[in-house]
Amino acid sequence: MRLRNKPWAKDMLRENDQYVIQDPELQKGKWNEVFGNNNPIHIEVGTGKGKFITGMAKANPSINYIGVELQDSVIVGALERILEDPSPNVKLLNQNAEELTTFFEQGEISRVYLNFSDPWPKNRHEKRRLTYKTYLDRYKELLIKNGEIHFKTDNQGLFEYSLKSFSEYGLLLKFVSLDLHNSDFEGNIMTEYEEKFSAKGQRIYRSEVQYRS
Ligand code: SAM
């Protein structure tokens, strides 16, 4: 993600605390109260400028969505989208996914979305990949029993690595597409990166995996 310096971003995120939840560790175990209902909660890790999460929230009003993004200058784009066209079922966290288990109780989350995660191609950076086993441990700690990870990328190397990582972890492969945009998959909501890469003719890979417990 190309970063533009936006010195105003931090203040804007703080001022809109009905959408960008501050001190999310205080909400651990209480996210249904934050949304004011008992609907399932899905999170997107590395949500970027929020095209996917806001599109999903509009398309699925009976699911609650939380976008988690590290960079304040990026997530502020997601906030701007929400302010332009608000939905009651979407919130944002300007946080590092390494901390996910401090924000969510076991079983609070029904699904994790990973879209166009940074590939970190060098072997010595493997631990930073969002599909590395320590991340799979973190997702397991907050997901419901038999919770799912839905993953899209344009990066063949990261996709192959991730399928191997999921398999070694013992996750069940429920869906795989090696060319999403030329498949019969319905209801795809594109992300910013997906739009950019598919416009250049790159194929999009997608998988759904499920924890066995
Ligand atoms: N998902 C968006 C899309 O498909 O358009 C953005 C993709 S971008 C390549 C990856 C995003 O993940 C970046 O905005 C980056 O800051 C974020 N990210 C990477 N590691 C993260 C982490 N540990 N916690 C939260 N966000 C992270």
Side-chain angles (χ1 to χ4, degrees), residues 1 3 44-50 52 68-71 74 95-98 114-120 128 130 135 191-194:
M1 179 70 69
L3 290 181
E44 184 190 15
V45 179
T47 209
K49 294 179 184 165
F52 176 81
V68 183
E69 169 57 52
L70 190 58
Q71 302 289 346
V74 175
Q95 301 288 340
N96 191 331
E98 281 180 18
L114 302 173
N115 291 318
F116 298 82
S117 309
D118 297 320
W120 295 108
R128 299 184 190 180
L130 294 181
Y135 277 102
T191 79
E192 277 95 4
Y193 270 64
E194 187 170 355

Side-chain angles (χ1 to χ4, degrees), residues 5-151:
N5 189 23
K6 295 181 181 169
W8 42 269
K10 272 198 168 61
D11 285 344
M12 186 171 172
L13 295 170
R14 228 176 282 122
E15 282 159 15
N16 287 283
D17 60 357
Q18 75 276 37
Y19 297 119
V20 188
I21 305 302
Q22 310 295 309
D23 305 317
E25 59 283 354
L26 300 180
Q27 307 306 334
K28 186 170 180 170
K30 297 190 272 193
W31 286 95
N32 288 339
E33 291 174 29
V34 172
F35 285 103
N37 58 51
N38 286 321
N39 292 340
I41 302 174
H42 296 180
I43 63 171
E44 184 190 15
V45 179
T47 209
K49 294 179 184 165
K51 185 173 181 350
F52 176 81
I53 203 92
T54 53
M56 290 295 276
K58 289 282 176 211
N60 304 290
S62 58
I63 295 174
N64 296 320
Y65 291 92
I66 301 175
V68 183
E69 169 57 52
L70 190 58
Q71 302 289 346
D72 50 35
S73 57
V74 175
I75 199 173
V76 78
L79 173 61
E80 285 171 334
R81 273 183 202 281
I82 295 172
L83 291 173
E84 265 169 36
D85 188 7
S87 301
N89 58 331
V90 63
K91 306 284 180 201
L92 300 172
L93 300 186
N94 182 202
Q95 301 288 340
N96 191 331
E98 281 180 18
E99 309 295 325
L100 280 176
T101 56
T102 64
F103 311 141
F104 302 109
E105 202 76 79
Q106 174 90 66
E108 266 197 304
I109 303 301
S110 303
R111 186 177 296 170
V112 172
Y113 286 100
L114 302 173
N115 291 318
F116 298 82
S117 309
D118 297 320
W120 295 108
K122 291 186 179 137
N123 283 343
R124 67 189 156 91
H125 291 146
E126 180 188 5
K127 290 182 180 168
R128 299 184 190 180
R129 298 176 196 153
L130 294 181
T131 51
Y132 182 65
K133 61 178 186 262
T134 51
Y135 277 102
L136 302 182
D137 281 338
R138 290 183 183 115
Y139 308 145
K140 185 172 190 203
E141 260 191 66
L142 49 86
L143 278 167
I144 53 168
K145 194 168 177 285
N146 303 129
E148 297 185 3
I149 303 171
H150 292 198
F151 174 51

